[in-house]
Structure formats: structure tokens, C-alpha cells
Amino acid sequence: MSQTSRLLILLLTVGLAASPGSAQEIAEVPFHLPTPKGWRTETIPFPLDFAPELEYEGLEELRFAPGMFQEQEVDFWSYIFVWWVPEDTSFSAQRLENDLEIYYRGLTEQVSKIREFDPGDPNHKAELKEAGSGDSGQDSWEGSIHTYDVFTTRSAIRLLLRIDIRHCEEQGHLAAVFQLSPQPTRHKIWDVMGDVHQGFRCEK
């Protein structure tokens, strides 16, 4: 069984109720991404088995808010993940929109298969616009992804998102930092996720 399948089963059976820390020690993460108190972590190597069409090399590093899978919590479906990929990777709004649609479609299909239910034909639609680029060497996009909550409510969900590209030239990599939440951007959860993003360091 692959690492990602084990992750999905872990999410489904314990809802990330375990103590903070990585559920699967795959390899040492070569960069630093802060973990707020009470948040959970996970590391998954590319290719992702639920989205093998994403032909990246590297890894995905995740930070889950404590209420990620609890519908009544203000930080429901709020999390951050980083794609650590080679520096010659070229991102654009169109490519990232396509990537996100592949990612969430694959996640929905695999988790619903494990849970043995039919999600129907949910919509997965990402929309991004440029939020910044230039002298800082950092490109940014903001937007949303209409997707499906396959874990908790089994219904459609709209996540707001921000993506920032961090250039790690000495390490020969890019870090695409994704922040996602259904909460409006003025909500305090975005401050927490912003602090995690600001705490990112290319070196360990």
C-alpha cells in the first residue's frame, strides 16, 4: 500500500486526532515550515498516487488546522501545503488551476472509493488571478476552488486560496505555498496561515 493510501486511511479512521507530528516519516524535509500549536503535519512524495497526472518531482508538505475535519469548527477545511519541486518548474495561473482541479478530483475519487460511496459527479473548478510578482522574485495568485468535501459533509465546498512561489536558488528548488480555507480572508485563520507562510525558510 502506498504512503498516500495510508495517509487517506489515517484521515478517514482517526480524523487526524493523533498527537501533532508527522504520521508517516517518509524522508527528512529539506526546508523549514512552521507548525502552529495543535496543527498536524504530513509529508507525501511525488508522484501523488491519487493524482499521478501531476508529473512533478519532489514532495508535498502539509499543515492541517486542528478543526480541519470538524464541520462546526472555525478552522474547518483550513490548511497549508507546500509543493517542493525543481527550480526549472514553470507555474502559471492556468497551470495551477488545472493542477488543483486534478488534485481535488483525484482526492475525491480515491477517498470515496475507500469509503465505498458514490459522490456523484461533483464539480471541481479553480479560478485564479495574479496577486503579485516582480522584484521580490515571488509570484502570487489568489482565487478559489469549488470542490467536494469527501471527508466530512459529502457535499460541495468552496475554498478560498492563495498561492505564493518561493525561490530557493541555493537548494535548486521552488516552493509553491498553498493556503486554503472556506473562511473569508479577513478571518483570523488567514493570519495564522500567513504566519506559517512567512515562517517558511528554504534551508532546514
Side-chain angles (χ1 to χ4, degrees), residues 6 19 33 41 73 115 127 143 154 161 165 173 176 186:
R6 283 195 288 268
S19 60
L33 186 69
T41 77
E73 297 297 330
R115 279 195 162 182
E127 296 180 328
R154 298 187 183 182
L161 66 93
I165 306 301
H173 279 73
R186 64 180 179 276

Side-chain angles (χ1 to χ4, degrees), residues 1-14 16 23-26 42-45 49-50 110 114:
M1 182 182 294
S2 72
Q3 295 286 358
T4 306
S5 294
R6 283 195 288 268
L7 166 66
L8 293 172
I9 290 174
L10 173 68
L11 297 180
L12 296 171
T13 56
V14 304
L16 287 176
Q24 298 292 336
E25 293 295 338
I26 296 172
E42 187 58 53
T43 307
I44 310 173
D49 70 339
F50 63 86
Q110 182 153 335
I114 292 171

Side-chain angles (χ1 to χ4, degrees), residues 93-187:
Q94 183 176 7
R95 181 176 187 177
L96 287 165
E97 287 171 349
N98 186 61
D99 287 349
L100 287 163
E101 290 166 13
I102 290 171
Y103 183 98
Y104 285 102
R105 183 180 301 112
L107 186 63
T108 297
E109 290 175 355
Q110 182 153 335
V111 175
S112 62
K113 183 177 181 179
I114 292 171
R115 279 195 162 182
E116 299 182 336
F117 77 93
D118 183 4
D121 187 21
N123 182 46
H124 303 278
K125 179 64 175 177
E127 296 180 328
L128 296 173
K129 63 180 181 180
E130 188 173 291
S133 63
D135 294 341
S136 66
Q138 177 175 315
D139 298 323
S140 302
W141 295 269
E142 294 177 344
S144 63
I145 172 78
H146 290 265
T147 185
Y148 183 84
D149 173 18
V150 71
F151 294 109
T152 305
T153 65
R154 298 187 183 182
S155 62
I157 188 171
R158 178 175 180 262
L159 304 174
L160 300 183
L161 66 93
R162 181 178 174 93
I163 306 168
D164 295 284
I165 306 301
R166 306 290 294 268
H167 295 260
C168 299
E169 296 178 358
E170 292 187 8
Q171 292 75 20
H173 279 73
L174 298 179
V177 184
F178 296 74
Q179 304 174 54
L180 303 101
S181 177
Q183 294 285 5
T185 54
R186 64 180 179 276
H187 192 276

